[in-house]
Every structure is written in C-alpha cells, then in structure tokens.
Amino acid sequence: MVGILLPPSVPGALVNYAAMLMGKVPVNLNYTVSNETLASCAQQCNLKTVVTARVFLEKVKIQPPGETIFIEDIAKDAGFGERVTAALAASLLPAKTIAKFAGCGRPASLDDVATIIFSSGSTGDPRASSSRTTILFRT
C-alpha cells in the first residue's frame, strides 16, 4: 500500500493510476485531518511511503507519515527521451505490458483490493473501508 496525500486533481488521479499499475494499493489520505489522525490511518494500513507535493503541504500545514516522495521531484527527473518513450509505450503497448514495465508483479484479479478509503472519524479513529477491483485490463 502507498499513501497519497494530494487534492482531488489530475495529478492526484494520475498518481492513483500509477500506483495501481505498479501493483500497489493507493490509500488516499484526507488532508483536512490532524497529524495524529493521519498517523492513525498510516498505522492501520502499514504505510511506509506517502506521495505528495511540496506546494500542497505548504498550504495544508500537515506532516505526512513515513517516507515522503514529492511528485515534482519525480517529474523534474524525467528527461525528454523518457517522456517520449513513456508516451509511445502508453499509446502502442497493451495494458498488460505497460503494467509489467511499471513493476507490477502479477495481473489484477477481481478479489484484489483496489483502494482504501477512510471515514471522517467523527467518533474516535477513522475506519478504513476497501473497494474491490471492478475493471480489469484486457489485452
């Protein structure tokens, strides 16, 4: 599982999709909660890594639990050749090949957890609920 601490946005959706392609379960963390609640969510899901953005963290003033990966650092490191290669691969290769290229070790099944969503936590610690994969990539 990997934590995602981003607002509802195109970059947030792309990070969720990238996590799934890599065979990870995205855990979208609520940025309106306290640091203690975030830590509780991370503990319940055994999160070691959280993907976020520096500008976003400056606005919400919270501290993500675990190792932090900043999307702007990842985007900055990708050169022109890598971007062109990725665009061509996404356009021309089957989804199964792209998932394998992204690091996914096995194909998704209907029993896999697709994502974890937390309740608002109005009474104590937030509770997690999971949703199952409903769409499989077919090649």
Side-chain angles (χ1 to χ4, degrees):
M1 294 187 193
V2 63
I4 299 174
L5 186 59
L6 293 168
S9 59
V10 171
L14 290 174
V15 170
N16 273 271
Y17 188 61
M20 286 188 255
L21 276 176
M22 294 176 67
K24 307 289 183 189
V25 176
V27 179
N28 286 279
L29 300 168
N30 185 346
Y31 54 88
T32 64
V33 299
S34 68
N35 286 328
E36 294 79 24
T37 302
L38 272 181
S40 172
C41 295
Q43 181 184 23
Q44 290 178 53
C45 292
N46 197 25
L47 291 180
K48 304 280 187 259
T49 307
V50 175
V51 179
T52 189
R54 282 188 182 90
V55 173
F56 179 66
L57 284 183
E58 290 172 9
K59 289 183 180 183
V60 296
K61 308 270 192 256
I62 54 176
Q63 181 62 40
E67 177 190 352
T68 305
I69 296 175
F70 295 103
I71 59 172
E72 56 267 46
D73 293 347
I74 303 299
K76 179 178 64 173
D77 290 342
F80 179 74
E82 290 173 313
R83 292 173 194 232
V84 169
T85 302
L88 287 172
S91 302
L92 301 173
L93 296 176
K96 196 181 256 186
T97 305
I98 294 170
K100 193 177 284 188
F101 177 72
C104 185
R106 63 176 189 81
S109 77
L110 289 176
D111 292 325
D112 289 346
V113 174
T115 189
I116 303 286
I117 301 170
F118 283 91
S119 69
S120 62
S122 59
T123 57
D125 283 341
R127 286 180 281 185
S129 62
S130 63
S131 63
R132 300 285 177 190
T133 303
T134 55
I135 299 174
L136 293 178
F137 292 105
R138 304 233 185 244
T139 56

